Amino acid sequence: MLFSLVETTKANELEPQAYLKFLFERFPAAQTTEEMRALMPQHVDKSLLPSLPKPKPRKK
């Protein structure tokens, strides 16, 4: 189920790590079906997602 959620996130052009952070912070407060549905990737406004720092290149 988590893989499906991440793939849906990518299909909606959202950054998976930022979306999951957003989701895990807000899902516990969602009480109705409508509130939960609003947290699904296809309904999330990209501007609501947290900005994550760019990963540093790995040293070889």
Side-chain angles (χ1 to χ4, degrees):
M1 188 166 38
L2 186 58
F3 179 78
S4 179
L5 184 61
V6 170
E7 290 303 311
T8 303
T9 301
K10 290 178 188 178
N12 284 278
E13 300 178 356
L14 302 173
E15 199 285 313
Q17 185 177 357
Y19 170 72
L20 291 174
K21 181 177 181 347
F22 169 86
L23 179 64
F24 294 150
E25 289 173 350
R26 289 168 176 77
F27 191 79
Q31 295 184 0
T32 66
T33 304
E34 292 78 24
E35 290 172 345
M36 291 177 198
R37 187 173 291 129
L39 295 173
M40 295 296 97
Q42 59 270 30
H43 302 292
V44 172
D45 181 353
K46 291 179 188 180
S47 68
L48 298 175
L49 298 182
S51 297
L52 298 175
K54 298 279 186 199
K56 295 180 182 178
R58 295 183 182 187
K59 295 181 181 179
K60 293 183 180 184

